[in-house]
Amino acid sequence: MKYLNDFFMEYLGFIPFKIEGNISFLNNYVEVILNKPLTDISEEELSFFLKRLLKKDVSINFLSNNSPDFIVKNWEQIIHSHPLRDYLRFLTPTINEERLIFKTPYPMVKARIANFQNEFEELLYKHLGKKLSYDILIDETLKPNLNIPMSSYEAVTLSHSTSVNSEDLEIILGKEFKKIPMPLNILPMNEGTSVVVSGKIFYIEHNERGPITSIYISDKKSSAVIKAFSETAITLFKNLALNDVLLLEGTIFYDNYIKEFAIKPINLIKLKSDPFERKDTYPQKRVELHLHSKLSSMEGLLDIDEIVNTAKKWGHKAIAITDHGVVQAYPGASGASSKHKIKIIYGVECYLVDDTKDKDFDYTKAKSYHAIILVKNTTGLKNLYKLISQSHLNYFYKRPRMTKSMIMKHREGLLLGTACEAGELYTAFLNNASEDEINRIASFYDYLEIQPLDNNQFLVAEGKVENKEALIEIKKKIVSLGEKINKPVVATCDVHFMDPEDEIFRRILMAGQGYDDADKQAPLYFRTTDEMLEEFSYLGSQKAYEVVITNPNKINDMIEEIAPIPEGTFPPKIEGAEDEI
């Protein structure tokens, strides 16, 4: 038997999940004994992972001798990956003389758990190490307040709770109504309760026999299913489509077919504009110069057509594509550019190594930094393609690397930016480099880059920067440096996903690669001009406008609109091929 963390380090060289427990190798299988509830991964996922890794069956058990108080204090963690979670979350555990009491306002929850009594008791046994008496009681005082005032809603809910003009809606069922929708994550589980909700359709299921139509909606907080029968089902199926946004008044009922609560529609309105979408309302627009698509080295999540379309809808003149070390997003970006009539700035975030100071330079041992390269014209495009090829063919070590001498040789038609905290300039500030050294580094670049504070918050958590104020000070130093050496400073997002809520997908992506901080995602989403001006307000309104709007647009104006791939087909020319055919 050995500690799981020791096993992971010996077997993998890193710790992929935060797990407290031991692992034992028996004759035909592996036994895992867990001391605490799993938080980073479910039991099924852990079992599958170890089974694939060790080619043996895996048994996962809990070795616990916890008091009932453990259940009360850790209930959310205990149930977070359980198949009955959608019901267990409506239980409130308490203790009465060493007896567990679970309270819920919903009889249906109690009935549902009674149907899965064995699974429920197994869950308790795992975390207590013993069987314990318990009761499930109905307590209607725990019901959520359905007359929630607008001031109680989060901002994301408020954005789609305001009144809708009649010309912006289409009545699909019933009549128009003026009521505030509640967030889907607090829907009551009580049959017959009247509710008003709003959401975007992400799935439609229609059964001609019946007929029955099921409409699945999401408000980015949770999801719900709207279920209609007979003529109402036909009406919904004929008039609704994926991505339609609905405002709905209906009643809660328990659907025995899907074994979940659903909403029976009474009044249903289709909204012509999407209130869930963020909008860029500032009169002058920014241009994003640092962005990673889903083709960027197992870290970006952006669909190119979607992000280009969003930039166009927001009124941005252009948008850059700067994947890590690669350019395979260019064909899709070119197509999206033609489709949505918006300029694409072609670029890359390279892995830069400095070979200009060391006669015994070895690119496999040199420290690499991030740097942004943007293409100004067709000459620059050709030079970038040369750099990409050389970095993969001649300087590949874990990642495709580019030397400074390579870039200087092929620099015509290119613009160089300092990138993020992993860039050469930001690193110099972190290391308290001398003024001469910082000036020397900055002289290599055409523009300097700063990003939102939360992008770099991990530096505080790691102890590399004292606090948020210290992060602000670094960014102010970069702005001052730009003024001193007469180089533009631009504010970028380092975009990896579209909306703040999408961080969960990158969390999964990074966890799969073994990052132990995958759950601590920076908010690398595509920000509006308004959001960026607010983010950099600590610079003062005039300087914030300069770095967010003026300078990125100046960079854009320096860049020609080009096609990354020439039109037409270019078959190989083989001497004598036509005669032979």
Side-chain angles (χ1 to χ4, degrees):
M1 179 182 290
K2 63 175 59 178
Y3 289 117
L4 267 170
N5 287 346
D6 291 343
F7 160 74
F8 284 136
M9 287 301 297
E10 290 178 15
Y11 210 91
L12 300 173
F14 63 93
I15 299 173
F17 317 110
K18 295 177 182 177
I19 303 174
E20 291 191 25
N22 301 287
I23 185 168
S24 298
F25 295 87
L26 306 175
N27 290 335
N28 298 317
Y29 71 99
V30 174
E31 183 178 37
V32 175
I33 307 296
L34 299 175
N35 300 329
K36 287 189 175 181
L38 294 169
T39 57
D40 290 356
I41 189 173
S42 69
E43 286 184 45
E44 293 78 10
E45 290 167 334
L46 177 60
S47 178
F48 179 78
F49 176 80
L50 292 173
K51 192 176 293 186
R52 289 285 300 270
L53 188 68
L54 301 172
K55 310 299 182 186
K56 287 187 176 184
D57 287 333
V58 177
S59 171
I60 297 178
N61 299 299
F62 282 78
L63 185 61
S64 303
N65 188 24
N66 297 310
S67 68
D69 188 55
F70 178 84
I71 298 291
V72 175
K73 291 180 178 178
N74 297 279
W75 187 240
E76 286 298 319
Q77 286 181 299
I78 289 169
I79 69 171
H80 93 284
S81 61
H82 196 274
L84 294 174
R85 182 188 178 281
D86 284 343
Y87 294 89
L88 297 177
R89 66 191 175 96
F90 288 102
L91 294 179
T92 301
T94 59
I95 301 171
N96 186 3
E97 297 180 356
E98 288 296 307
R99 187 181 184 88
L100 274 170
I101 306 294
F102 293 93
K103 295 182 179 180
T104 178
Y106 304 120
M108 183 58 70
V109 171
K110 180 177 180 179
R112 181 69 166 166
I113 293 173
N115 290 338
F116 291 88
Q117 181 178 346
N118 291 339
E119 289 84 350
F120 182 69
E121 292 181 354
E122 180 183 345
L123 175 68
L124 298 180
Y125 181 79
K126 279 184 175 182
H127 294 280
L128 294 172
K130 57 190 174 186
K131 287 189 175 182
L132 198 71
S133 298
Y134 67 91
D135 287 314
I136 299 178
L137 306 178
I138 304 299
D139 184 350
E140 293 197 355
T141 64
L142 297 176
K143 282 186 178 179
N145 176 18
L146 300 185
N147 298 314
I148 301 174
M150 287 187 68
S151 58
S152 299
Y153 286 164
E154 297 181 33
V156 68
T157 307
L158 280 172
S159 68
H160 66 273
S161 296
T162 52
S163 60
V164 180
N165 295 325
S166 297
E167 60 268 22
D168 293 331
L169 56 82
E170 177 185 351
I171 299 172
I172 303 299
L173 185 68
K175 61 183 180 181
E176 184 179 350
F177 59 94
K178 302 282 188 180
K179 295 182 181 179
I180 301 170
M182 69 187 332
L184 294 177
N185 62 344
I186 63 168
L187 273 182
M189 299 181 73
N190 211 21
E191 288 199 285
T193 301
S194 295
V195 294
V196 175
V197 299
S198 183
K200 179 184 284 191
I201 298 175
F202 65 88
Y203 183 67
I204 298 176
E205 186 176 58
H206 181 70
N207 188 338
E208 290 288 353
R209 294 187 302 173
I212 302 171
T213 299
S214 299
I215 309 288
Y216 293 79
I217 63 171
S218 171
D219 65 355
K220 296 189 176 182
K221 287 291 183 184
S222 189
S223 58
V225 59
I226 303 162
K227 200 153 189 179
F229 305 88
S230 303
E231 291 301 318
T232 302
I234 296 172
T235 298
L236 265 58
F237 183 66
K238 285 183 176 179
N239 292 281
L240 297 177
L242 291 179
N243 296 317
D244 282 348
V245 179
L246 310 180
L247 185 62
L248 165 78
E249 185 174 22
T251 56
I252 297 287
F253 75 98
Y254 185 76
D255 188 325
N256 284 301
Y257 180 75
I258 63 173
K259 307 299 183 186
E260 297 290 346
F261 285 95
I263 303 173
K264 182 180 180 181
I266 298 172
N267 299 313
L268 191 149
I269 295 170
K270 180 165 70 173
L271 304 180
K272 294 181 180 179
S273 61
D274 187 351
F276 296 99
E277 284 187 349
R278 291 177 297 120
K279 294 176 175 63
D280 194 326
T281 61
Y282 200 80
Q284 289 76 41
K285 310 297 183 182
R286 61 183 292 262
V287 173
E288 181 57 61
L289 299 176
H290 188 151
L291 181 146
H292 299 277
S293 77
K294 61 185 177 182
L295 298 179
S296 185
S297 183
M298 286 292 286
E299 60 158 8
L301 294 162
L302 290 166
D303 177 82
I304 292 173
D305 186 80
E306 182 183 10
I307 189 70
V308 171
N309 184 37
T310 299
K312 175 65 176 181
K313 286 194 292 185
W314 285 0
H316 295 195
K317 293 180 181 177
I319 188 168
I321 303 292
T322 59
D323 289 339
H324 269 299
V326 295
V327 294
Q328 57 256 48
Y330 285 11
S334 179
S337 173
S338 300
K339 176 181 177 182
H340 300 294
K341 309 302 181 187
I342 182 174
K343 175 180 171 183
I344 299 294
I345 299 171
Y346 296 96
V348 72
E349 184 166 18
C350 71
Y351 299 99
L352 178 71
V353 289
D354 189 354
D355 62 336
T356 62
K357 299 187 296 182
D358 188 355
K359 292 181 180 180
D360 300 319
F361 171 75
D362 182 346
Y363 73 92
T364 65
K365 296 178 180 178
K367 178 177 175 56
S368 67
Y369 301 94
H370 293 189
I372 296 292
I373 303 177
L374 302 179
V375 172
K376 292 174 63 178
N377 48 40
T378 53
T379 300
L381 181 69
K382 185 175 181 179
N383 279 331
L384 179 61
Y385 286 165
K386 289 178 180 178
L387 290 169
I388 294 292
S389 297
Q390 289 183 35
S391 67
H392 281 79
L393 295 172
N394 303 324
Y395 294 97
F396 194 98
Y397 178 69
K398 297 183 179 179
R399 297 179 177 90
R401 299 182 169 204
M402 291 187 191
T403 65
K404 278 193 173 182
S405 60
M406 281 169 53
I407 292 174
M408 288 189 288
K409 181 179 179 181
H410 301 289
R411 186 157 184 165
E412 184 181 357
L414 299 175
L415 291 173
L416 268 66
T418 56
C420 53
E421 80 289 333
E424 190 180 17
L425 182 64
Y426 201 105
T427 301
F429 278 110
L430 281 177
N431 295 335
N432 296 312
S434 68
E435 184 177 352
D436 288 344
E437 176 66 5
I438 286 174
N439 289 337
R440 183 194 68 80
I441 291 170
S443 67
F444 180 70
Y445 298 91
D446 297 297
Y447 65 91
L448 315 182
E449 191 171 336
I450 55 175
Q451 296 176 348
L453 290 171
D454 284 345
N455 285 30
N456 308 131
Q457 185 61 34
F458 73 93
L459 295 172
V460 177
E462 293 176 357
K464 295 179 180 179
V465 175
E466 186 176 356
N467 50 37
K468 183 177 181 178
E469 288 67 33
L471 287 176
I472 290 175
E473 189 59 31
I474 291 175
K475 295 178 194 302
K476 285 183 174 180
K477 287 180 179 179
I478 294 174
V479 171
S480 297
L481 176 63
E483 293 172 346
K484 177 184 173 183
I485 63 176
N486 197 30
K487 292 194 176 184
V489 178
V490 302
T492 71
C493 295
D494 193 3
V495 185
H496 285 68
F497 42 86
M498 182 69 72
D499 295 309
E501 302 85 3
D502 297 338
E503 62 84 20
I504 189 171
F505 303 117
R506 191 166 188 264
R507 192 188 310 179
I508 295 167
L509 193 65
M510 304 308 283
Q513 298 175 70
Y515 288 92
D516 58 6
D517 61 348
D519 281 338
K520 301 174 183 177
Q521 284 297 312
L524 307 176
Y525 65 94
F526 188 29
R527 285 172 164 84
T528 65
T529 307
D530 315 72
E531 289 171 322
M532 286 292 271
L533 287 171
E534 175 63 26
E535 172 65 36
F536 291 95
S537 59
Y538 59 80
L539 296 175
S541 59
Q542 185 175 346
K543 184 58 69 173
Y545 187 96
E546 179 184 313
V547 300
V548 171
I549 299 174
T550 305
N551 290 344
N553 276 280
K554 281 183 178 178
I555 297 292
N556 176 51
D557 291 342
M558 298 166 65
I559 294 171
E560 297 176 11
E561 196 159 357
I562 61 173
I565 302 171
E567 293 185 5
T569 57
F570 300 89
K573 294 181 180 180
I574 304 174
E575 188 175 347
E578 293 181 0
D579 296 335
E580 189 172 327
I581 290 174

